[in-house]
């Protein structure tokens, strides 16, 4: 390395925002590596100190306590197991004047309470919901991103630094909204898994190769999902549940006995798909039948 390159490397490193990261589990370690690779000065702390050895070898400064780690940088990121571990880890730290970014998975009420807790301690607060698994962190082409909500000015100020590990999607000042978006998307994912599980069960006892069946199923889910969520969203936004209906609720409810009979014939329990059909039938009794499935959304509201 020439003297010139060394100077440049030092210069770039000193321009990057210093980051403190609490938590070196699977996700925290991936975040640490991404910031180190991008040249950010990084201070880390982990409850079990041995887990810091890997990132220390890559250039992270290891703090002896959470308080020491928090004192090292204005931008403090936490990625711990759950909300109570965040409370425990930060209990004896001085958060006054800090920008606290909490990437720990929590529910919306916990995120709002944690935002208030941080405000009382003099910190600005941003909550995050990570839509990625560790191998996607620091790999932009993998498409992972993080929902952020809370202090908008904190997000704007640290936008570039926060964009290093994964994409960023800011969803507003309400600190609970990142967690809510995260859980809403993952809930839809589980609904999709439930549908795919039922489909695989239907073919399970037949001479049908699940590997050949998989692309048919995957392509069908993709083809249906995009247009259907767009249509539902438009109808919810306008209140016009009968507009642009392609497959009426009456027609779809009329088809449910076929699905239930097929499950019976294949020896498959209807316990995944049955509750959704029950809601469709209830919706039909309360509507003209000319609408499609959007009314089921409102039936779920308590
Ligand atoms: P891990 O189980 O790998 O790590 C948990 C981390 O929390 C460790 O650093 C652990 O420290 C620390 N911790 C647990 N309890 C305490 C406590 N009481 N005080 C201080 N530290 C504590 O989890 P991940 O890193 O995978 O996940 C971290 C967060 O990221 C979670 O909220 C998770 O939901 C979220 N996330 C994870 C994804 C994933 O695929 N891994 C995907 C999306 C979000 P120690 O080493 O001492 O045990």
């Amino acid at each position: 390395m020439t003297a010139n390159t060394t100077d440049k490397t030092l210069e770039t490193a000193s321009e990057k925002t210093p980051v403190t990261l609490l938590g070196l589990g699977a996700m925290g370690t991936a975040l640490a590596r991404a910031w180190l690779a991008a040249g950010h000065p990084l201070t880390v702390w982990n409850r079990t100190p041995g887990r810091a050895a890997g990132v220390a070898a890559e250039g992270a400064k290891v703090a002896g306590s959470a308080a020491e780690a928090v004192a090292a940088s204005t931008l403090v990121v936490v990625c711990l197991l759950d909300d109570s571990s965040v409370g425990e880890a930060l209990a004896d730290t001085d958060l006054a004047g800090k920008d606290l970014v909490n990437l720990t998975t929590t529910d919306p009420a916990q995120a709002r309470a944690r935002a208030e807790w941080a405000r009382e301690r003099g910190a600005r607060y941003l909550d995050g919901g990570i839509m990625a698994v560790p191998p996607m962190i620091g790999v932009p082409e993998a498409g992972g991103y993080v929902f952020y909500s809370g202090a908008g000015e904190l997000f704007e100020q640290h936008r570039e630094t926060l964009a290093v590990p994964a994409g960023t999607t800011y969803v507003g000042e309400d600190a609970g909204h990142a967690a809510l978006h995260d859980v809403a998307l993952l809930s839809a994912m589980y609904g999709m898994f439930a549908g795919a599980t039922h489909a695989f069960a239907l073919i399970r006892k037949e001479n049908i190769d699940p590997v050949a069946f998989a692309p048919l199923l995957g392509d069908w889910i993709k083809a249906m999902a995009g247009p259907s969520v767009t249509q539902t969203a438009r109808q919810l936004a306008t209140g016009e549940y009968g507009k642009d209906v392609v497959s009426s609720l009456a027609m779809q409810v009329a088809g449910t006995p076929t699905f239930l009979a097929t499950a019976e014939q294949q020896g498959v329990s209807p316990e995944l798909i049955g509750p959704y059909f029950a809601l469709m039938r209830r919706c039909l009794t309360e509507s003209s039948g000319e609408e499609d499935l959007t009314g089921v959304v409102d039936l779920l509201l308590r």
Side-chain angles (χ1 to χ4, degrees):
M1 191 185 280
T2 65
N4 197 18
T5 332
T6 313
D7 287 350
K8 265 194 184 154
T9 312
L10 289 175
E11 206 177 277
T12 317
S14 67
E15 281 166 8
K16 303 272 176 149
T17 303
V19 180
T20 281
L21 174 67
L22 305 188
L24 292 170
M27 185 54 84
T29 300
L31 296 169
R33 294 217 154 102
W35 276 310
L36 287 171
H40 286 264
L42 182 73
T43 303
V44 295
W45 173 83
N46 194 64
R47 180 181 60 177
T48 308
R51 289 182 98 170
V55 295
E58 293 171 36
K61 185 167 177 270
V62 181
S65 66
E68 190 187 315
V70 168
S73 325
T74 301
L75 180 59
V76 176
V77 179
V78 293
C79 186
L80 299 169
L81 188 63
D82 54 16
D83 183 61
S84 67
S85 42
V86 173
E88 278 177 41
L90 293 175
D92 297 323
T93 65
D94 180 5
L95 290 172
K98 300 294 174 183
D99 286 339
L100 181 61
V101 178
N102 185 8
L103 299 183
T104 306
T105 302
T106 63
D107 63 47
Q110 287 171 328
R112 289 179 185 126
R114 191 57 68 191
E116 181 56 21
W117 177 92
R119 198 191 57 75
E120 286 165 6
R121 284 158 182 76
R124 296 194 296 185
Y125 183 85
L126 197 60
D127 203 80
I130 304 175
M131 306 307 292
V133 291
M136 293 163 79
I137 298 298
V139 184
E141 59 277 19
Y145 67 96
V146 179
F147 282 120
Y148 287 101
S149 68
E153 70 284 3
L154 190 172
F155 177 73
E156 284 309 324
Q157 188 182 330
H158 295 297
R159 194 182 199 133
E160 266 182 48
T161 304
L162 296 175
V164 167
T168 61
T169 300
Y170 181 72
V171 291
E173 290 279 336
D174 184 328
H177 279 188
L180 185 55
H181 279 72
D182 182 342
V183 172
L185 265 56
L186 291 176
S187 300
M189 176 190 80
Y190 282 116
M192 182 266 290
F193 286 166
T197 298
H198 184 82
F200 277 119
L202 287 178
I203 65 155
R204 187 77 176 131
K205 293 183 190 159
E206 303 284 337
N207 185 21
I208 297 174
D209 178 5
V211 175
F213 182 70
L216 301 172
L217 179 58
D219 288 350
W220 180 248
I221 290 171
K222 267 189 247 158
M224 290 296 104
S228 100
V229 298
T230 305
Q231 165 85 329
T232 303
R234 276 204 202 108
Q235 293 182 345
L236 288 171
T238 60
E240 296 176 296
Y241 293 5
K243 195 157 181 246
D244 301 326
V245 169
V246 177
S247 306
S248 75
L249 181 60
M251 179 282 285
Q252 295 198 58
V253 168
T256 56
T258 303
F259 291 90
L260 295 172
T262 304
E264 176 77 26
Q265 288 159 27
Q266 298 305 112
V268 170
S269 161
E271 63 198 301
L272 282 177
I273 207 160
Y276 190 63
F277 287 164
L279 280 163
M280 283 166 60
R281 284 194 296 273
R282 213 172 102 209
C283 195
L284 182 60
T285 63
E286 295 174 17
S287 77
S288 66
E290 298 304 314
E291 300 173 1
D292 54 21
L293 294 162
T294 302
V296 176
V297 175
D298 295 332
L299 280 186
L300 288 181
L301 300 181
R302 289 195 178 131

